[in-house]
Amino acid sequence: MYANVIIDISHEKVDRTFQYRIPDRLIEVCDIGMPVKVPFGRGDNVRTGYIVELTEEPNWDPDKIKEIIDVERNLISAEDISIRLAAWMKRQYGSTMIAALKTVLPASKKQARQIHKYISLRLPEREARDLYNECVRKKQKARERLLKELIDNPDDRIPYEFITGKLNVSSQAIKSLSDKGIIAIESEEYYRKPIAADGARYGKKTLSDEQQHIVDTVKRDYDEGKRDTYLIHGITGSGKTEVYIALIDDVIKRGKQAIVLIPEIALTYQTLMRFYRHFGDRVSVMNSTLSPGEKFDQMERARNGDIDIIIGPRSALFTPFPNTGIIIIDEEHEATYKSETMPKYHAREVAIELSHLLPDGAAVVLGSATPSLEAYYKAKTGQIKLFELNKRLTGGTLPTVEIADLREELRAGNRSIFSRRLFELMEDRFQKDEQVMLFINRRGLAGFISCRGCGHVFKCPHCDVSLSEHRGGRLVCHYCGYEQARPKICPECGSKYVSSFRAGTQQIEDEVKKYFPDAKVLRMDADTTRTKGSYEKILGAFANKEANVLVGTQMIVKGHDFPDVTLVGILAADMSLYASDYRASERTFQLLTQAAGRAGRGEKRGNVVIQSYQPDHYSILAAADQDYKGFYEEEIAYRDLLRYPPVSHMMSVQIQCKNEAEGIAFATKLRAVMEQKKIPNVVYIGPASAAIGKINDIYRMAIYVKADDMDILVKLKDMVEKYIRMLEDRGYLKNITTQFDFDPVNGF
């Protein structure tokens, strides 16, 4: 047996491995991810490396391959855990080890440290005054200013920037005095800190009985050595963040660290401030707006124990803390927790695996007002512990929700974006100087085709998803490949108003200004939030009541707390309902519930208007009632019937090829390879064209495989990978790439 070992994992050289023979005495103990001692280089210096692959095939002459010296049995470092986690991700999600390593080793190449310089006086005060008087006599103004500052502050070190800036002393003059031994220049390295925040620290808040029960249960489990996974299902405004803070407080007192994952950059600032005001500068943040130097420094601060808490999106999960004690995933239902690049991992699953790999284990806490079906299904089947928070603690009550039937609006001659009820409530709020949020559910913009007369949506007869409009007047199912011509007349009511719904934030902003010329409107979408700090600027302006209307996409409805918002208008609620995705109903319910939760969070009562062409759909009715359990029961029944996750599992084998016929032939062969196993109760669909069948002249297609047991899908993936490697060794597949996605969250 041979082991491919990575020696230097300084993040830039992770694609270089070295092969070693495994001695017979170590064959039983060597495994992927394990640290080993190996002879390295011409001098055979003993170095520590990590096994990234086991094989029976030598890469070159076996007589020249060196042997592993021993296994590092007592070494359990952050890097060791990261390597093991990468190995698990490679096996679980289908990926190269290199791609998995680059995912879990987050910081890129080493960045130069920042340096502060300070200047102090080296002479006794009398000599310094004599020198000062000489500078005055010789009219050496710069030296005079510098010496006076140093004499007036003999015990202080004066920042270099102050002397060159405020005192206007040149660097040459400073160097001259330093060379003569008159002053001392000291340099200190420091970490870049991405948090620029002032604000009074505040202590613990008194928790409600519901909140305290959660904290006490987790602490008791921790005391007993249990490291479980918990789901907090709390309505919007129920105080989940205060529970997180109390749990982190306890973990830090135990000498451990905490990772807090959030789904959107838009949440970073608000969430961060709540933690920062409680824990001070022991908190840091990781997100895509940081410079490479800032990212590198946060990883170093974590390694060195200078911070206890990291907050960020899914990549923050790989922070190299020496002793992580708790991992919190807020808004765990969010699709952004699923990676769309290889390995296509889900942060929730990786967090649970990481908690098992840590020497003392870690608690994993999931939180959401609208939990993913996966998390809630695990809670209902006893795999994780469930907590409920049913009381709103932000001072407000749940808003009054109304559904506006856009079919009725059309019949009444209203072709405006706003229903009559929403228009009436907006007028009322502007008169009262209260704020309004208008949310456009824009996901799946060019997606479904519907009848504006009766609301009928054109769906695939073989799958419970809508047909998508393609060029050339075709309606296509992205799951089984079924297609039909785009009809001109609705088959249900005979109406000629058959079209795809198109609306955007810019159009809504223009409509608000048209009907309410005195309204001050802010818009928040991908176009207005491209620059660093733009999220905070827009949200800050709205919080300060510089505008009375905030128009935006889903980024405005997640986690924000504006007490003066008393009206939320949800425009085209069913736009995401008929995307070509079996999760469409779940996503629609989650978005509508989150959006409705923004209204009435202060003392004033809130109203929500949901505008829909399908007002009787169960996801819209459940969202209007804020009835998660009712929605879950209906949706899980459909998933069970159609064998979709979480009741069953699904693997998407994704093929991309420059030649369409070649790609289809290869995909067909892969399906045949899997079917040879004749595994009972496995369902194969496709090959079918991807949602976007061609990008940059690359054709895309997929095979979908359903099975009740995830291990079966992983074994099928292993079989496909082995078959692909065999073809690659023979020089085939130069123009074809294959990827795997398990329980896909986003379409391909």
Side-chain angles (χ1 to χ4, degrees):
M1 286 288 291
Y2 300 92
N4 291 331
V5 176
I6 224 163
I7 303 293
D8 187 350
I9 51 173
S10 61
H11 314 324
E12 285 299 295
K13 299 178 181 178
V14 294
D15 54 351
R16 180 75 174 93
T17 61
F18 300 88
Q19 194 170 71
Y20 290 87
R21 182 187 297 108
I22 302 174
D24 292 341
R25 62 188 173 83
L26 296 179
I27 283 179
E28 294 298 319
V29 292
C30 280
D31 196 6
I32 293 174
M34 185 163 285
V36 289
K37 291 179 181 177
V38 293
F40 188 74
R42 291 182 180 176
D44 283 344
N45 297 317
V46 177
R47 298 276 295 275
T48 296
Y50 295 86
I51 298 174
V52 296
E53 189 177 8
L54 298 172
T55 178
E56 296 178 357
E57 299 296 325
N59 289 346
W60 51 82
D61 185 352
D63 294 333
K64 295 180 180 179
I65 298 177
K66 298 176 184 178
E67 198 169 80
I68 291 174
I69 298 170
D70 204 354
V71 171
E72 286 272 22
R73 299 170 198 277
N74 298 320
L75 178 65
I76 307 181
S77 66
E79 275 182 347
D80 174 21
I81 292 165
S82 293
I83 300 290
R84 294 185 185 193
L85 187 62
W88 179 84
M89 290 168 69
K90 174 190 180 295
R91 287 196 298 264
Q92 189 72 13
Y93 298 108
S95 161
T96 64
M97 189 65 188
I98 302 310
L101 284 168
K102 287 184 175 178
T103 300
V104 303
L105 301 173
S108 57
K109 68 179 180 181
K110 190 169 184 177
Q111 302 288 323
R113 291 284 296 278
Q114 298 288 83
I115 294 175
H116 276 317
K117 288 184 180 179
Y118 300 93
I119 292 174
S120 57
L121 192 63
R122 295 184 67 178
L123 297 177
E125 187 178 347
R126 178 177 292 180
E127 289 182 39
R129 288 192 181 277
D130 290 343
L131 185 59
Y132 168 76
N133 291 330
E134 185 181 335
C135 290
V136 172
R137 191 175 66 254
K138 292 182 177 179
K139 296 185 178 180
Q140 295 172 331
K141 296 293 185 182
R143 292 188 178 191
E144 175 192 329
R145 289 193 298 274
L146 173 54
L147 287 168
K148 184 178 186 308
E149 188 71 29
L150 290 169
I151 292 167
D152 290 347
N153 302 280
D155 297 325
D156 291 346
R157 298 186 310 159
I158 301 178
Y160 192 95
E161 294 83 1
F162 176 82
I163 291 168
T164 56
K166 295 285 186 183
L167 300 184
N168 196 25
V169 179
S170 69
S171 56
Q172 290 91 337
I174 296 171
K175 185 176 185 302
S176 173
L177 291 174
S178 173
D179 291 344
K180 292 175 181 177
I182 297 167
I183 62 172
I185 302 174
E186 299 172 70
S187 298
E188 287 183 0
E189 291 186 341
Y190 71 94
Y191 288 118
R192 305 164 182 88
K193 293 185 180 181
I195 307 169
D198 296 319
R201 296 279 294 277
Y202 58 74
K204 293 182 181 177
K205 286 192 175 182
T206 303
L207 300 181
S208 70
D209 291 343
E210 284 184 332
Q211 291 172 315
Q212 193 63 52
H213 169 67
I214 297 172
V215 174
D216 290 344
T217 303
V218 177
K219 285 169 70 173
R220 185 171 61 249
D221 285 352
Y222 224 100
D223 290 337
E224 294 173 359
K226 298 176 185 173
R227 302 293 184 266
D228 283 336
T229 300
Y230 309 87
L231 171 63
I232 302 175
H233 175 210
I235 62 171
T236 53
S238 59
K240 292 185 289 294
T241 302
E242 295 306 325
V243 174
Y244 302 155
I245 288 172
L247 291 172
I248 292 169
D249 236 346
D250 178 66
V251 162
I252 289 173
K253 286 174 185 172
R254 298 172 190 263
K256 297 178 181 293
Q257 297 86 41
I259 296 171
V260 181
L261 301 189
I262 55 174
E264 301 272 351
I265 296 171
L267 281 175
T268 302
Y269 185 75
Q270 276 198 333
T271 306
L272 184 60
M273 285 304 95
R274 295 179 74 174
F275 284 89
Y276 185 78
R277 290 190 180 120
H278 188 91
F279 296 103
D281 60 5
R282 301 296 294 177
V283 179
S284 193
V285 64
M286 178 65 64
N287 64 44
S288 60
T289 67
L290 301 188
S291 68
E294 285 174 325
K295 287 181 180 177
F296 180 81
D297 279 4
Q298 301 334 295
M299 293 298 102
E300 289 300 296
R301 292 174 74 199
R303 277 193 190 93
N304 298 336
D306 293 336
I307 55 175
D308 297 318
I309 305 161
I310 194 83
I311 299 175
R314 65 173 185 265
S315 60
L317 183 59
F318 307 112
T319 302
F321 275 133
N323 198 4
T324 302
I326 191 167
I327 302 168
I328 292 168
I329 306 181
D330 192 30
E331 307 292 349
E332 66 80 28
H333 63 275
E334 279 294 325
T336 51
Y337 285 127
K338 180 70 183 282
S339 170
E340 291 307 307
T341 57
M342 297 297 286
K344 296 190 176 186
Y345 69 93
H346 198 294
R348 179 180 57 241
E349 297 163 0
V350 175
I352 293 170
E353 179 63 23
L354 174 59
S355 73
H356 296 154
L357 291 174
L358 291 163
D360 295 329
V364 178
V365 178
L366 314 174
S368 175
T370 54
S372 64
L373 260 70
E374 283 79 2
Y376 203 74
Y377 182 77
K378 284 187 175 182
K380 296 293 281 185
T381 53
Q383 299 173 61
I384 62 179
K385 291 185 178 179
L386 175 65
F387 296 112
E388 305 271 359
L389 289 174
N390 297 312
K391 296 176 184 173
R392 204 170 202 185
L393 303 179
T394 52
T397 55
L398 288 173
T400 301
V401 183
E402 303 169 60
I403 301 175
D405 187 342
L406 292 180
R407 300 170 301 183
E408 291 295 332
E409 296 293 322
L410 185 66
R411 291 186 194 115
N414 179 17
R415 287 179 169 78
S416 159
I417 283 178
F418 308 119
S419 63
R420 289 165 294 177
R421 179 58 175 157
L422 179 58
F423 192 92
E424 173 190 313
L425 287 171
M426 287 172 69
E427 280 186 316
D428 175 69
R429 294 312 190 260
F430 295 148
Q431 287 172 7
K432 293 177 179 176
D433 194 30
E434 294 172 0
Q435 290 179 298
V436 177
M437 291 174 76
L438 297 175
F439 163 57
I440 175 70
N441 189 355
R442 204 170 57 177
R443 190 189 290 270
L445 179 58
F448 71 95
I449 304 296
S450 67
C451 169
R452 295 193 68 188
C454 70
H456 172 73
V457 172
F458 294 87
K459 298 176 72 173
C460 173
H462 307 294
C463 308
D464 190 27
V465 294
S466 64
L467 297 172
S468 293
E469 184 178 23
H470 283 237
R471 287 180 182 174
R474 295 179 303 124
L475 301 185
V476 180
C477 173
H478 293 153
Y479 277 82
C480 71
Y482 170 85
E483 65 176 78
Q484 68 177 62
R486 185 184 190 278
K488 296 178 181 178
I489 302 294
C490 173
E492 295 293 315
C493 70
S495 169
K496 61 182 180 181
Y497 293 109
V498 174
S499 64
S500 57
F501 189 95
R502 293 176 179 271
T505 49
Q506 180 72 61
Q507 184 182 353
I508 295 163
E509 182 182 11
D510 294 342
E511 290 285 300
V512 174
K513 290 176 179 176
K514 172 183 167 184
Y515 290 112
F516 304 100
D518 294 332
K520 295 175 183 175
V521 186
L522 284 170
R523 178 163 57 94
M524 191 168 178
D525 55 23
D527 295 326
T528 62
T529 54
R530 285 178 179 166
T531 57
K532 189 173 182 176
S534 54
Y535 286 94
E536 291 84 350
K537 188 176 178 182
I538 295 170
L539 293 172
F542 191 62
N544 294 331
K545 296 199 74 171
E546 294 172 28
N548 46 8
V549 182
L550 177 61
V551 176
T553 52
Q554 57 178 320
M555 63 179 70
I556 73 169
V557 303
K558 309 241 176 102
H560 306 305
D561 194 349
F562 301 111
D564 283 316
V565 171
T566 58
L567 174 62
V568 171
I570 301 172
L571 313 179
D574 38 20
M575 186 173 284
S576 65
L577 189 57
Y578 295 108
S580 280
D581 185 354
Y582 70 90
R583 297 177 187 268
S585 296
E586 179 183 5
R587 283 189 175 146
T588 299
F589 171 80
Q590 288 165 344
L591 280 171
L592 300 189
T593 305
Q594 295 280 342
R598 297 312 106 204
R601 293 176 77 92
E603 295 178 0
K604 301 166 189 171
R605 185 81 190 213
N607 286 79
V608 179
V609 177
I610 298 176
Q611 299 187 168
S612 172
Y613 286 104
Q614 290 284 315
D616 299 325
H617 193 280
Y618 65 93
S619 66
I620 292 173
L621 291 172
D625 293 336
Q626 301 273 298
D627 180 13
Y628 177 83
K629 291 177 182 175
F631 168 77
Y632 171 83
E633 293 299 336
E634 185 139 7
E635 179 67 15
I636 205 72
Y638 286 121
R639 300 282 183 94
D640 190 12
L641 189 66
L642 296 167
R643 297 191 67 189
Y644 279 127
V647 181
S648 190
H649 293 284
M650 185 162 70
M651 174 175 67
S652 169
V653 185
Q654 301 166 352
I655 297 105
Q656 300 182 55
C657 183
K658 290 183 178 180
N659 182 290
E660 185 176 20
E662 188 180 342
I664 291 172
F666 176 67
T668 304
K669 180 60 179 174
L670 288 188
R671 172 170 173 165
V673 167
M674 290 186 282
E675 286 181 318
Q676 283 175 2
K677 278 284 183 184
K678 293 185 169 55
I679 302 172
N681 298 318
V682 174
V683 176
Y684 298 92
I685 303 169
S689 178
I692 304 175
K694 184 168 71 169
I695 297 178
N696 292 332
D697 294 324
I698 303 293
Y699 290 91
R700 296 147 48 89
M701 54 219 71
I703 306 163
Y704 296 95
V705 188
K706 295 179 186 178
D708 294 339
D709 187 349
M710 177 68 87
D711 289 341
I712 289 174
L713 296 181
V714 172
K715 286 174 183 174
L716 287 171
K717 179 266 300 178
D718 292 342
M719 193 164 66
V720 169
E721 283 184 322
K722 186 175 180 181
Y723 176 72
I724 289 172
R725 278 197 300 272
M726 180 193 73
L727 293 178
E728 287 175 340
D729 290 343
R730 295 177 181 177
Y732 301 118
L733 306 186
K734 290 181 180 177
N735 297 319
I736 298 177
T737 60
T738 307
Q739 296 183 345
F740 303 90
D741 193 0
F742 290 86
D743 290 349
V745 169
N746 296 304
F748 169 66

